[in-house]
Amino acid sequence: MRGHYNLIAGQSIERLAALSDGVFAVAMTLLVLDLHTPAASTIHGERDLLGALAPLAPRLLVYLMSFLTLGIFWVGQQTQLNQFERADRDLSWMHLTFLFLVSLMPFSTALMAEFFHYRTAMVLYWFNIFLLGIVLLVSWRLALRHGLVVEAMRAGTAAIERRIIVAQALYALGAALCVFSTSWSLGVIIVLQLNYALAPAFSRRWIP
Amino acid sequence: MRGHYNLIAGQSIERLAALSDGVFAVAMTLLVLDLHTPAASTIHGERDLLGALAPLAPRLLVYLMSFLTLGIFWVGQQTQLNQFERADRDLSWMHLTFLFLVSLMPFSTALMAEFFHYRTAMVLYWFNIFLLGIVLLVSWRLALRHGLVVEAMRAGTAAIERRIIVAQALYALGAALCVFSTSWSLGVIIVLQLNYALAPAFSRRWIP
Amino acid sequence: MRGHYNLIAGQSIERLAALSDGVFAVAMTLLVLDLHTPAASTIHGERDLLGALAPLAPRLLVYLMSFLTLGIFWVGQQTQLNQFERADRDLSWMHLTFLFLVSLMPFSTALMAEFFHYRTAMVLYWFNIFLLGIVLLVSWRLALRHGLVVEAMRAGTAAIERRIIVAQALYALGAALCVFSTSWSLGVIIVLQLNYALAPAFSRRWIP
Amino acid sequence: MRGHYNLIAGQSIERLAALSDGVFAVAMTLLVLDLHTPAASTIHGERDLLGALAPLAPRLLVYLMSFLTLGIFWVGQQTQLNQFERADRDLSWMHLTFLFLVSLMPFSTALMAEFFHYRTAMVLYWFNIFLLGIVLLVSWRLALRHGLVVEAMRAGTAAIERRIIVAQALYALGAALCVFSTSWSLGVIIVLQLNYALAPAFSRRWIP
């Protein structure tokens, strides 16, 4: 009985993608709820308004960074799902785990942004990114083992795995820097994020 | 007139799936709103931060458990919808009822997690799971009766029904244990949940 | 230039449907945020817990009713969109207007539920339903006029329009009863809602 | 290695569209959370209820305006995505940037609505619209350069670009008026918004 259910359960890549897009969309917009307009009663001139908006700037930065991180992993997951012919139940659960970690990202980012001078916050933030990477890697191997990857992509598998491993090694290195200084750690991680988001746009100019 | 409207109403499996993915995505991320970063003014060192984060651990566990339960029913509903050729108006309403119960799950889970030593909370939590199972079962029978199931799957129907009934019987047994001890009850239900989420990954290793 | 843009703008039924499913999914789960677990400090026994949960019952009913109303209009819009070959810019805006009214429904329902003995609340609630019906009717006529309806359905148009008009007439009648008694008004509207949700399931039994 | 990843990353227009619809759907319904039903204890008659609802009217207007603006950019982005054969990683990131700006729109609109007599609020609101337009323009050029636009549309590119530029010039002009009076500024921008939402419905009547 179980075997039979497993043969038909969780096969749709389309629904996995749709659920993922939903979770990413909600996670991406959740932090915007933290931006509140100032109370009208405290504003008596342009200066007051500017003054009331200034404290929102760091929140906006956190939001931007959370969006950036989620964007990187959305592109990563999407690229992977595109290489799959179909899903199965194990793969569905792997990506449900991925989505759970995705939904925690706004919290980790907010924590890190507010307490970036504390190692605890930095390590938790890195750990969230680390787990996201691990799950994507395990998902890819599982899909290969279960024969879910489209024929044409089975050869390119080393590149995909190397990419995840290199990225994770760099993140880990960045996080490890917090032994010396959490600011350095944060700086390295932000540069890495920007690199993964912006790099292709720039690299194409130089590598025709 | 009514007959005519019924012939064309609610036929799209795609839109039913899309609405379901949306509701699941929102329900899955709702509880994350309960995780708040500690107030910066109360944190003066790594110890304070760790101390402030510790009380979030149980909330995270509730969130994880809610995600797990929703994941189980997402896979279950998805598997069913995949076997349908098309929907009709009755089936659409059956799944709207299902989605209503889905959207209550984060509340039931939170209630159960906070008051797991009270039978009231345990029974309400079980009742939510029970109703979800019943609606899935009724939806399957309705689809069979209305001729909405794809040809190839009509034979496998006993397996699908048996699976829901066995799962529901086990959940009911677990819930009934709360007559003796709500902790036992909770323990059995969590083991069942983990089984439905993780079992396929492990069982494949032993049943080639 | 404008003419050219209009020829290519807003043509995708799929994206209109996806946006609609997203808005419906969020609107359907918004009211669940109003259900809060009782504060643990106030609960010292099963009785306390039951006592603390009792006041949530009316909120749950409102939520159920809001879900029901949204379900009715989701099925209605979906049925219409299924008959369209493609959209155009006017039709897209008509359905954006529809979605705006959809997103107001949880508020109207909550207002009506809390103040159902006030005509103001009852009339606002009815007005929301009324506008939803009108927009669906206008959208259908617009689609017919712009040649967006699939060939096969152009004949059945009278049935679709009649259905909306009859439903709206009954709602208006129900709402008008609030001149005498808002309770009667509410009762009639709830019966109408249940009829539109449950009727097909029952009617099939009698009309083979 | 990087080149290889870029060849396969972010190619799916469907998932970009699905994520966009999710973000738009959440952003479009977020502001409705600001509409709260009045406290029952303060209402003792129809007059009290009307009095308690009156202050919600401006919030409803803000919500309507935010919905309108988001609708305009949803139609704009959708029209563009429909002309693309496929996406690539740069285009995906361009649209992730677009979605980030979309998710800020409810905040900008609320700020502008509450402080429309302050230039700061007006300029921030305009700047959000301006960035949305710029990103759509850059996205279109990028798609053309990367050969992602469907054959048939490559000729019509001037019309699409001109449309964005004209719209942005008019918005900038409207915003610039706030040097004299923020009310004039607001008025012009609202007229422009209504024009972009309603114009096609009216213009078709006159231009057969």
Side-chain angles (χ1 to χ4, degrees):
Chain A
M1 180 192 87
R2 164 145 300 158
H4 181 262
Y5 183 77
N6 283 345
L7 288 183
I8 59 164
Q11 292 198 313
S12 166
I13 285 285
E14 285 76 29
R15 286 210 59 191
L16 201 51
L19 183 73
S20 303
D21 291 330
V23 170
F24 270 104
V26 178
M28 278 172 170
T29 37
L30 266 188
L31 278 186
V32 117
L33 285 169
D34 276 355
L35 297 178
H36 293 290
T37 54
S41 59
T42 63
I43 309 295
H44 308 290
E46 300 279 353
R47 233 156 226 271
D48 290 355
L49 188 54
L50 273 171
L53 290 175
L56 293 180
R59 278 174 190 280
L60 193 66
L61 254 171
V62 176
Y63 182 44
L64 182 61
M65 204 171 154
S66 173
F67 211 98
L68 192 69
T69 315
L70 289 171
I72 291 169
F73 281 101
W74 180 78
V75 172
Q77 187 212 18
Q78 183 205 352
T79 305
Q80 217 181 80
L81 288 183
N82 277 351
Q83 317 305 326
F84 297 160
E85 238 158 17
R86 56 184 183 83
D88 65 6
R89 210 174 145 209
D90 294 357
L91 194 75
S92 291
W93 274 103
M94 206 52 81
H95 282 268
L96 283 168
T97 311
F98 179 77
L99 293 180
F100 177 72
L101 296 166
V102 161
S103 73
L104 290 180
M105 206 67 226
F107 173 74
S108 309
T109 312
L111 191 76
M112 188 275 295
E114 199 148 3
F115 301 103
F116 69 89
H117 41 298
Y118 291 111
R119 269 172 227 149
T120 309
M122 192 61 70
V123 166
L124 281 176
Y125 177 68
W126 162 77
F127 194 59
N128 202 340
I129 290 183
F130 173 73
L131 288 178
L132 281 165
I134 292 303
V135 171
L136 273 191
L137 193 61
V138 171
S139 146
W140 179 251
R141 296 220 166 151
L142 189 145
L144 277 174
R145 201 150 23 90
H146 289 199
L148 307 171
V149 178
V150 292
E151 189 76 37
M153 280 308 300
R154 283 178 211 162
T157 188
I160 282 188
E161 296 198 1
R162 217 183 322 145
R163 185 179 164 84
I164 298 177
I165 292 165
V166 169
Q168 287 298 329
L170 292 172
Y171 278 128
L173 209 77
L177 283 177
C178 79
V179 176
F180 305 105
S181 149
T182 54
S183 310
W184 279 45
S185 203
L186 178 62
V188 169
I189 287 177
I190 289 180
V191 167
L192 283 171
Q193 305 272 54
L194 287 174
N195 167 59
Y196 283 113
L198 302 179
F202 291 112
S203 63
R204 291 252 176 107
R205 296 190 174 224
W206 310 110
I207 309 155
Chain B
M1 178 191 90
R2 165 146 298 159
H4 182 262
Y5 183 77
N6 284 343
L7 288 182
I8 59 165
Q11 292 199 313
S12 166
I13 285 285
E14 286 74 31
R15 286 211 58 192
L16 201 51
L19 182 73
S20 303
D21 291 331
V23 169
F24 270 104
V26 178
M28 279 171 169
T29 37
L30 266 189
L31 277 186
V32 117
L33 285 169
D34 276 355
L35 297 178
H36 294 291
T37 55
S41 58
T42 64
I43 309 294
H44 307 292
E46 300 279 354
R47 233 157 227 272
D48 291 355
L49 188 55
L50 272 172
L53 290 175
L56 292 180
R59 278 174 190 280
L60 194 64
L61 254 170
V62 176
Y63 182 43
L64 181 60
M65 203 171 155
S66 173
F67 211 98
L68 193 68
T69 314
L70 289 171
I72 290 169
F73 282 100
W74 180 78
V75 172
Q77 188 212 19
Q78 183 204 353
T79 306
Q80 217 180 80
L81 288 183
N82 277 350
Q83 317 306 325
F84 296 160
E85 238 159 16
R86 55 182 183 83
D88 66 5
R89 210 173 147 210
D90 294 358
L91 194 75
S92 291
W93 274 103
M94 205 52 79
H95 282 267
L96 284 168
T97 311
F98 180 76
L99 294 179
F100 176 72
L101 296 166
V102 161
S103 73
L104 290 180
M105 206 67 224
F107 173 74
S108 309
T109 313
L111 191 76
M112 189 274 295
E114 199 149 1
F115 302 103
F116 69 90
H117 41 299
Y118 291 110
R119 270 173 224 147
T120 309
M122 192 60 69
V123 166
L124 281 177
Y125 176 68
W126 162 76
F127 194 59
N128 202 340
I129 290 181
F130 172 73
L131 288 178
L132 282 165
I134 291 302
V135 171
L136 273 192
L137 192 62
V138 171
S139 146
W140 179 253
R141 296 220 166 151
L142 189 144
L144 277 175
R145 202 151 23 89
H146 289 198
L148 306 171
V149 179
V150 292
E151 189 76 36
M153 280 308 300
R154 283 176 211 165
T157 188
I160 282 189
E161 296 198 359
R162 216 183 323 144
R163 185 182 165 82
I164 297 177
I165 292 166
V166 169
Q168 287 299 329
L170 292 172
Y171 278 128
L173 209 78
L177 283 176
C178 79
V179 176
F180 306 106
S181 150
T182 54
S183 311
W184 278 46
S185 203
L186 178 62
V188 169
I189 288 178
I190 290 180
V191 167
L192 283 171
Q193 306 272 53
L194 288 174
N195 168 60
Y196 283 112
L198 302 178
F202 290 112
S203 64
R204 292 251 176 107
R205 299 194 169 219
W206 310 109
I207 309 154
Chain C
M1 178 191 90
R2 165 145 301 160
H4 182 261
Y5 183 77
N6 283 345
L7 288 183
I8 59 164
Q11 291 199 313
S12 165
I13 285 285
E14 286 75 29
R15 286 210 60 193
L16 200 52
L19 182 74
S20 303
D21 290 331
V23 170
F24 270 104
V26 179
M28 277 171 171
T29 38
L30 267 188
L31 277 186
V32 118
L33 286 168
D34 276 355
L35 297 178
H36 294 291
T37 56
S41 59
T42 64
I43 310 293
H44 307 291
E46 299 280 353
R47 234 156 226 274
D48 290 356
L49 188 55
L50 272 171
L53 291 175
L56 293 180
R59 278 174 189 280
L60 193 66
L61 254 171
V62 176
Y63 181 43
L64 182 61
M65 204 171 153
S66 173
F67 211 98
L68 193 68
T69 315
L70 289 171
I72 290 168
F73 282 101
W74 180 78
V75 172
Q77 188 212 18
Q78 183 204 352
T79 305
Q80 215 179 82
L81 288 182
N82 277 351
Q83 318 306 327
F84 297 160
E85 238 159 17
R86 54 180 186 83
D88 65 6
R89 212 175 145 207
D90 294 357
L91 194 75
S92 291
W93 273 103
M94 205 52 79
H95 282 268
L96 284 168
T97 311
F98 179 76
L99 294 178
F100 176 72
L101 296 166
V102 161
S103 72
L104 290 181
M105 206 69 224
F107 173 75
S108 309
T109 312
L111 191 77
M112 190 274 296
E114 200 149 1
F115 301 103
F116 68 90
H117 40 299
Y118 291 110
R119 271 172 225 148
T120 309
M122 191 62 69
V123 166
L124 282 177
Y125 177 68
W126 163 76
F127 194 58
N128 202 340
I129 290 181
F130 173 72
L131 288 178
L132 282 164
I134 292 302
V135 171
L136 273 192
L137 192 63
V138 171
S139 145
W140 179 253
R141 296 221 166 149
L142 189 145
L144 278 175
R145 202 150 22 90
H146 289 199
L148 306 171
V149 178
V150 292
E151 189 77 34
M153 280 308 301
R154 282 177 213 165
T157 189
I160 283 189
E161 296 198 359
R162 216 182 325 144
R163 186 182 163 82
I164 298 177
I165 291 166
V166 169
Q168 288 299 328
L170 291 172
Y171 279 127
L173 209 76
L177 284 177
C178 78
V179 176
F180 305 106
S181 150
T182 54
S183 311
W184 277 46
S185 203
L186 178 61
V188 169
I189 287 178
I190 289 180
V191 167
L192 284 172
Q193 305 272 52
L194 288 174
N195 168 60
Y196 283 114
L198 302 178
F202 291 112
S203 63
R204 291 249 178 110
R205 298 193 171 219
W206 310 109
I207 309 155
Chain D
M1 180 192 86
R2 163 145 302 160
H4 181 262
Y5 183 77
N6 284 344
L7 287 183
I8 60 164
Q11 290 198 314
S12 165
I13 285 284
E14 286 75 29
R15 285 210 62 191
L16 200 52
L19 183 73
S20 303
D21 290 330
V23 169
F24 270 104
V26 179
M28 277 171 170
T29 38
L30 267 188
L31 277 187
V32 116
L33 285 168
D34 276 355
L35 297 178
H36 293 291
T37 55
S41 59
T42 63
I43 308 295
H44 307 291
E46 300 280 354
R47 234 155 226 274
D48 290 356
L49 189 54
L50 272 171
L53 291 175
L56 294 179
R59 278 175 190 281
L60 193 67
L61 254 171
V62 176
Y63 182 43
L64 182 61
M65 202 170 154
S66 173
F67 211 99
L68 193 69
T69 315
L70 289 171
I72 290 168
F73 281 101
W74 180 77
V75 172
Q77 188 211 18
Q78 183 204 353
T79 305
Q80 214 179 84
L81 288 182
N82 277 351
Q83 318 305 327
F84 297 161
E85 238 159 17
R86 55 182 185 82
D88 65 5
R89 211 175 144 208
D90 293 358
L91 194 74
S92 291
W93 274 103
M94 205 51 79
H95 282 268
L96 283 168
T97 312
F98 179 76
L99 294 179
F100 176 72
L101 296 166
V102 161
S103 72
L104 290 180
M105 206 67 225
F107 173 74
S108 310
T109 313
L111 191 76
M112 188 274 297
E114 200 149 2
F115 301 103
F116 69 89
H117 41 298
Y118 291 111
R119 269 172 226 150
T120 309
M122 191 62 69
V123 166
L124 281 176
Y125 177 69
W126 163 76
F127 193 59
N128 202 339
I129 290 181
F130 172 73
L131 288 178
L132 281 164
I134 292 302
V135 171
L136 273 191
L137 192 63
V138 172
S139 146
W140 179 252
R141 295 221 166 150
L142 189 145
L144 277 174
R145 201 149 23 89
H146 288 199
L148 306 171
V149 178
V150 292
E151 190 74 37
M153 280 308 301
R154 283 177 212 163
T157 189
I160 282 189
E161 296 198 0
R162 215 182 324 145
R163 183 179 164 84
I164 298 176
I165 293 166
V166 169
Q168 287 298 330
L170 291 173
Y171 278 127
L173 209 76
L177 283 178
C178 78
V179 176
F180 305 105
S181 148
T182 54
S183 311
W184 278 46
S185 204
L186 178 62
V188 168
I189 288 178
I190 289 180
V191 168
L192 283 171
Q193 305 271 54
L194 287 174
N195 168 59
Y196 283 112
L198 302 178
F202 291 111
S203 63
R204 291 251 176 107
R205 296 190 175 223
W206 311 110
I207 309 154

